[in-house]
Amino acid sequence: MQDTDLQKDIQLVAECGPIRVWSLVVTILGDLCQRPEDFLPGRTLNMLVERLGINNQALRVALHRLRRDGWIRTERDGRASNYFLSDQGRAMTQSVRNQVYTPTPTRNIPIRMVMAAPSVPAADFADLLPDDAMSLSARVALVADTDSQFDDCLVTAFSPQTLPNWAIDTIAPPDLCSEYTQLHSAVTQMLNRPIPASLADRTALRLVILHHWRRLILRQNVLADILMPADWAGSNAREAVMSALERYARPDLQTLRAMQDGND
């Protein structure tokens, strides 16, 4: 693939939403550096983000922010620097790994609807809910059927087959579905094109796809895949993205680090 063709493909995915450089760096290190000893040299990181249209100055600002916030740590290597996820950064990326990389989410988890009395303050009700609860209104929420106790609340089994449109829009907001549809379309087009010969190019395509998928899936409530139909926009995007991640496989880190200025 020529550079112009690569840039067209990258732009196709980039148009699916904004790229915040610090978040992109988290995506890159989270995908490529999964063990405590794994790292990317600064020049390798710069080589990858340049392919995504990001200049060195923007990368430096992002790295400074990530060090300040405790996401990454740096080790000097002569005049250069190597970048690692910190223990905190690795724990944060590991905590969402299943959500990001699972090809087929579990759909057979029972759901309960929990309703508080009108006299219960909305903030107090919110404090009762688990992190993955889906709020439908100030005092009504859907939760996975766990051992959570909800004193003085009405708790009943919930069937997603009878969702009204307003509930669908709450569970899967139209703007999120629109972005999923756009990502699905962009990735599907890329899957119909030849695979780049260059490892750096393949890795750049993998990372830009993964970044936008991660950006969207982490906005989505985890119950959406249970409550929505199997062919909803998020599921279609997941199928395309997982095919792309298999096609543009995670590179061997040592081989990637050995590359000079993006040349195989």
Side-chain angles (χ1 to χ4, degrees):
M1 178 181 290
Q2 299 296 319
D3 286 349
T4 54
D5 294 328
L6 175 69
Q7 289 306 314
K8 288 179 181 177
D9 278 351
I10 288 175
Q11 185 63 28
L12 189 66
V13 179
E15 290 174 351
C16 293
I19 293 182
R20 294 181 173 86
V21 183
W22 67 268
S23 182
L24 174 64
V25 173
V26 171
T27 297
I28 293 172
L29 292 178
D31 187 52
L32 301 182
C33 302
Q34 299 188 24
R35 300 174 301 174
E37 65 270 23
D38 289 343
F39 67 91
L40 282 181
R43 63 175 180 79
T44 304
L45 193 53
N46 189 64
M47 173 190 72
L48 292 173
V49 302
E50 277 187 339
R51 279 171 159 73
L52 305 183
I54 295 165
N55 61 41
N56 183 260
Q57 179 59 32
L59 175 62
R60 288 177 180 273
V61 171
L63 291 171
H64 176 76
R65 172 179 176 173
L66 291 170
R67 279 195 301 267
R68 181 196 65 197
D69 293 346
W71 275 92
I72 66 173
R73 62 183 180 87
T74 306
E75 289 186 4
R76 297 294 297 177
D77 182 11
R79 298 179 60 186
S81 294
N82 295 327
Y83 296 93
F84 302 73
L85 282 173
S86 66
D87 291 342
Q88 169 190 315
R90 192 167 55 258
M92 293 290 285
T93 57
Q94 288 289 347
S95 70
V96 298
R97 186 166 296 279
N98 285 342
Q99 194 174 351
V100 173
Y101 290 95
T102 298
T104 307
T106 303
R107 294 184 54 88
N108 59 352
I109 300 174
I111 299 296
R112 293 185 293 169
M113 183 171 68
V114 181
M115 181 183 300
S119 59
V120 174
D124 290 350
F125 178 63
D127 288 342
L128 293 175
L129 300 175
D131 291 341
D132 60 357
M134 167 66 70
S135 294
L136 296 181
S137 68
R139 295 171 184 82
V140 179
L142 303 177
V143 300
D145 193 6
T146 64
D147 295 330
S148 299
Q149 299 298 314
F150 302 99
D151 295 338
D152 297 325
C153 291
L154 173 64
V155 181
T156 184
F158 180 81
S159 173
Q161 283 74 33
T162 57
L163 289 173
N165 289 336
W166 67 265
I168 291 174
D169 288 347
T170 301
I171 294 165
D175 60 337
L176 178 64
C177 290
S178 177
E179 290 189 68
Y180 271 141
T181 299
Q182 188 176 4
L183 180 62
H184 171 261
S185 176
V187 174
T188 299
Q189 291 181 60
M190 294 171 65
L191 291 173
N192 290 324
R193 298 178 185 175
I195 299 176
S198 163
L199 175 63
D201 290 348
R202 294 194 302 272
T203 303
L205 288 174
R206 173 186 176 85
L207 293 172
V208 72
I209 292 169
L210 177 62
H211 179 67
H212 281 291
W213 167 248
R214 174 179 168 271
R215 181 180 63 83
L216 295 178
I217 193 65
L218 295 184
R219 281 170 49 194
Q220 174 198 308
N221 187 283
V222 296
L223 298 187
D225 284 313
I226 303 170
L227 296 166
M228 295 294 289
D231 61 349
W232 79 290
S235 179
N236 293 336
R238 183 189 296 272
E239 182 178 357
V241 167
M242 293 304 148
S243 294
L245 295 185
E246 182 177 358
R247 189 183 205 226
Y248 310 121
R250 181 181 294 112
D252 175 74
L253 195 55
Q254 186 173 351
T255 302
L256 189 66
R257 289 196 299 245
M259 298 176 63
Q260 297 292 329
D261 301 321
N263 296 317
D264 285 345

